[in-house]
Amino acid sequence: MKTIAERFESVYQAIRAHADQSVIELLAVSKRHPAEAVRQAYALGQRHFGENYAQEGVQKIIDLADLKDTQWHFIGPLQSNKTRQIAEHFDWVQSVDREKIAQRLNQQRPAQLPPLNICLQVNISQEAQKSGADEQQLLALAATVNALPQLTLRGLMCIGSATNDVVVKQQEFTAMQQLLVKLQQRFDTVDTLSMGMSGDWQQAVTAGATMIRLGTALFGNRE
Ligand SMILES: *Cc1c(COP(=O)(O)O)cnc(C)c1O
């Protein structure tokens, strides 16, 4: 069994081999790993962490409040009854896919905190079971988020389809990059393209990802 330190070191090396590390933000997805694993990653210099489940994530954020300068990203499906917890504790929400959720996050973000950083989740593979806005809805949703004072529109997020077909993956990631360019032409706060997971991050980086979200590659298999 590799240690967390060994896993981080090999991922850092692989990123260096693949891209200019300074332009790729590594999000360590700590869902279903204990707070202790986050502490180990923090000690290695990791600062951005991702969680999928509101309750688990909030508990970890509270348990780890002594760690300074962390950025917590909510990356899971959003339910209306969970938005308050998320708005009060997280720094980023990457899975916004409808106006109602954006409105709630804006209303529930405490006034003394900086605006929540928002990525819009795109259902790039058009799979019915996956959440995410389609392209037509996207620009309208972006305008809504951009107009809300307690939210800052940062970019786009997608989950590539579960296929080993590299051509399909490349098409999806390239389509995302083109959508990001369209968004950047309209909104000057947009700088983030969050795509690529443990199984496909190299392809995502080649297509223009600025943030990759790795769980298994950094922390090992989830329970
Ligand atoms: C779990 C998860 C990840 C990380 O997945 P790995 O395959 O373990 O790297 C990334 N993004 C989202 C949205 C996830 O739910």
Side-chain angles (χ1 to χ4, degrees):
M1 271 270 286
K2 289 212 261 174
T3 65
I4 287 178
E6 286 164 349
R7 289 178 187 282
F8 268 80
E9 186 48 39
S10 43
V11 167
Y12 286 146
Q13 269 179 25
I15 294 174
R16 277 197 297 272
H18 206 79
D20 179 356
Q21 197 176 9
S22 63
V23 301
I24 303 295
E25 192 71 66
L26 174 61
L27 177 64
V29 179
S30 48
K31 68 180 181 207
R32 282 157 49 207
H33 289 284
E36 191 46 44
V38 174
R39 283 192 187 280
Q40 289 181 38
Y42 184 90
L44 300 167
Q46 182 65 34
R47 293 294 179 269
H48 289 259
F49 295 97
E51 288 285 333
N52 270 60
Y53 310 100
Q55 215 160 324
E56 178 191 346
V58 167
Q59 191 58 54
K60 242 175 257 178
I61 293 169
I62 291 170
D63 292 346
L64 296 167
D66 57 306
L67 304 184
K68 296 303 166 212
D69 301 322
T70 49
Q71 291 280 301
W72 287 92
H73 298 239
F74 188 81
I75 60 174
L78 282 157
Q79 296 164 319
S80 291
N81 61 351
K82 300 287 166 59
T83 52
R84 180 176 298 281
Q85 275 183 293
I86 292 168
E88 288 176 352
H89 293 278
F90 281 83
D91 305 291
W92 288 67
V93 181
Q94 295 201 12
S95 41
V96 171
D97 62 354
R98 52 199 194 276
E99 301 221 350
K100 181 184 167 198
I101 292 289
Q103 300 281 4
R104 288 178 70 92
L105 289 170
N106 178 64
Q107 275 160 17
Q108 294 168 343
R109 179 67 168 174
Q112 73 275 17
L113 294 181
L116 257 182
N117 296 294
I118 300 293
C119 290
L120 308 179
Q121 183 171 355
V122 184
N123 185 4
I124 198 69
S125 56
Q126 306 274 306
E127 290 167 288
Q129 76 276 18
K130 216 177 261 175
S131 44
D134 67 24
E135 186 174 341
Q136 290 89 327
Q137 297 159 340
L138 196 66
L139 290 175
L141 183 56
T144 298
V145 169
N146 184 58
L148 293 170
Q150 282 297 83
L151 306 183
T152 300
L153 180 66
R154 296 298 296 272
L156 299 175
M157 183 272 251
C158 78
I159 300 174
S161 56
T163 172
N164 293 322
D165 187 334
V166 291
V167 176
V168 171
K169 273 275 168 69
Q170 206 60 42
Q171 283 167 350
E172 291 175 3
F173 288 152
T174 302
M176 286 292 294
Q177 204 276 330
Q178 289 164 353
L179 283 175
L180 189 84
V181 170
K182 286 185 196 165
L183 218 59
Q184 281 180 313
Q185 286 164 352
R186 292 170 173 80
F187 307 104
D188 61 10
T189 52
V190 171
D191 59 5
T192 301
L193 184 55
S194 170
M195 61 185 190
M197 302 172 32
S198 292
D200 58 13
W201 68 264
Q202 288 93 338
Q203 265 194 288
V205 167
T206 301
T210 67
M211 185 183 287
I212 57 176
R213 308 182 308 270
L214 306 190
T216 314
L218 296 173
F219 294 112
N221 289 325
R222 289 180 280 274
E223 282 153 34

